[in-house]
Amino acid sequence: VPAALVTLPRVLRLVATAFVLLALTGGCRRHRVVHANRSIAVELRDRALTGSKAFEHVRDLATVVGPRLAGSEGDRRAVDWAVAKMRAIDLAAVRAESVTVPHWERGVERATLDGRPLAITALGGSVATPPGGVEAEVVVAESLEALDAVPDDAIRGRIVFFDKPMVRAVDGSGYEAAVDVRARGAIAAARKGAVASVIRSIGTGGGRAPHTGGLRYDDAVPKIPAAALAIPDAAFLREALAATPGLRLRLELGCRTLPDATSANVIGEIRGRARPDEIVLLGAHLDSWDLGRGAVDDGAGVAVVLEVGRMLRERGLTPRRTIRIVLFANEENGLRGARAYAAAHARELDAHVLGLELDLGSGPVHAIHALAGPDSIPALRAIAAPLAALGIAPVDERPIHGADLWPLRAAGVPVVDLDQDATRYFDVHLTADDTLAAIDPRELDQVTAATVAFVWNAAESRVTFGRIPADARR
Ligand SMILES: [Zn+2]
């Protein structure tokens, strides 16, 4: 049989099949796109889950750069590191947008009770003690309200000790409940004439590494030195005072505030293929406190958002919208990076369709909270559908905690938290124990899997999520 007679019908069949397929996919383009995108999000999720490079990024940042408090030499090196990293993973429009930041330095820090040393650290922004330190009797207060009830005479010339334990919780809610004594304790104590304020560290766990963190002063009240005792040392102080009233605490802090310095928000993008003007912002903060290596806070967040960018670039995946990765300056002691970003991009904020920030360590994502326009939750739930397989609850409407997103939220930009399990986060938070050892690489892969799938779907979506209603923007 001549070969042509056999092959001709087969060619015709192939042509006919191709024609039918073209007609089908053309007629169902919308369906095809949705289906393809879901597959991409699922594929990205599963790739990340079986081993992302997020841990490599945080290992690099924590090892090569280390601590990077705003204005420090480490902060400058972190900006260079981030620019180089974004270029290495082939993001577009990589730049460092300059930010003026506060510059505070920790110096000597010592505390003794009756000659016995206590583990203590200055709160960020604290003034120094006079040379040689201060020594005074200690008055215990369990809260700001409890201090209010004590007569000024009982406080004047003394050191106030705020002993307010933080409760461990999966959502980290114990932190918000306890942190007021760190933020405002020095003001409250000074108003009553105290010479210094010390707190039980705002944290969990039994380690002897004290937890630092920012404080506020009020220009109308004397600025007094303020420090945090390690949790076991705070417990010891409480017991010692109960056993021997009138014990004197000696405190010496050598910290100082220098003139403002220059840092930067480091930004890179994956430009959208259809709506490059529409922005899905994916953020983390580049700065850290000075005591640890800045691995958990927020090296983990930095690593995850960079890994999302790297995974998409490696596969040549370009979503409809632009994904803008922002590593914010000075989240820890000023939020100047977030404010500078909102000011520099004020005219563009209407085009920000969604903002996310990763800043709760490396624990697995277990829930998703959002603040968005009315009736946007169903659309956000659809976008988050691939996350259900990671054990993550559906999106619900609730305030978010990523502080760098506050200026965007105030402008009405919809914001989302991929809420991480914070059960162990506050054991090392703002301490010298914030090192790589506190990160489980497999948990970080889960966070990366959730983030890359969610962000891909959000950037691929045609839904705009509206604006946060005015009364919900705080
Ligand atoms: Zn943080």
Side-chain angles (χ1 to χ4, degrees), residues 285 297-298 331-332 359 425 429:
H285 68 83
D297 186 9
D298 184 22
E331 189 274 344
E332 295 291 9
D359 184 20
Y425 177 62
H429 184 239

Side-chain angles (χ1 to χ4, degrees), residues 35 78 93 114 127 167 188 227 301 313 345 385 396 412 446-447 454:
H35 178 73
D114 221 12
V127 296
V167 176
R313 291 300 298 136
H345 297 271
D396 66 7
Q446 191 266 12
V447 181
F454 187 90

Side-chain angles (χ1 to χ4, degrees), residues 71-293:
S72 67
E73 175 58 26
D75 188 29
R76 276 187 290 281
R77 286 195 288 121
V79 168
D80 292 344
W81 177 90
V83 168
K85 194 82 171 178
M86 283 189 179
R87 290 198 174 127
I89 63 179
D90 200 23
L91 296 184
V94 174
R95 73 265 194 194
E97 295 184 353
S98 159
V99 180
T100 301
V101 296
H103 186 189
W104 176 86
E105 271 183 7
R106 186 180 305 282
V108 60
E109 38 196 25
R110 271 193 284 268
T112 51
L113 183 73
D114 221 12
R116 285 163 293 187
L118 300 178
I120 200 161
T121 197
L123 295 183
S126 175
V127 296
T129 57
V134 291
E135 185 178 309
E137 273 185 43
V138 181
V139 181
V140 183
E142 287 174 346
S143 64
L144 294 173
E145 298 72 25
L147 181 71
D148 270 347
V150 182
D152 292 7
D153 280 352
I155 304 294
R156 195 167 298 118
R158 294 182 171 82
I159 295 173
V160 172
F161 165 40
F162 290 101
D163 189 23
K164 189 176 187 183
M166 174 183 159
V167 176
R168 187 187 291 280
V170 67
D171 64 357
S173 53
Y175 185 71
E176 289 305 317
V179 79
D180 61 347
V181 297
R182 190 192 79 207
R184 301 202 303 276
I187 299 172
R191 199 171 273 144
K192 285 178 167 287
V195 294
S197 167
V198 299
I199 62 169
R200 172 191 169 111
S201 282
I202 309 303
T204 51
R208 286 200 69 201
H211 300 238
T212 189
L215 60 61
R216 281 179 236 157
Y217 283 128
D218 178 340
D219 287 337
V221 177
K223 295 180 169 69
I224 59 171
L229 288 161
I231 292 166
D233 296 69
F236 166 71
L237 176 59
R238 186 71 184 264
E239 294 301 327
L241 290 170
T244 317
L247 279 177
R248 293 170 73 82
L249 181 71
R250 177 162 200 85
L251 177 67
E252 187 182 359
L253 300 180
C255 35
R256 57 184 184 151
T257 298
L258 298 155
D260 282 355
T262 301
S263 185
N265 291 327
V266 182
I267 300 175
E269 298 178 348
I270 294 172
R271 296 283 290 167
R273 66 170 194 277
R275 294 301 305 265
D277 56 312
E278 293 184 358
I279 295 161
V280 173
L281 185 149
L282 179 60
H285 68 83
L286 187 56
D287 65 313
S288 78
W289 279 102
D290 54 335
L291 295 173
R293 304 293 305 173

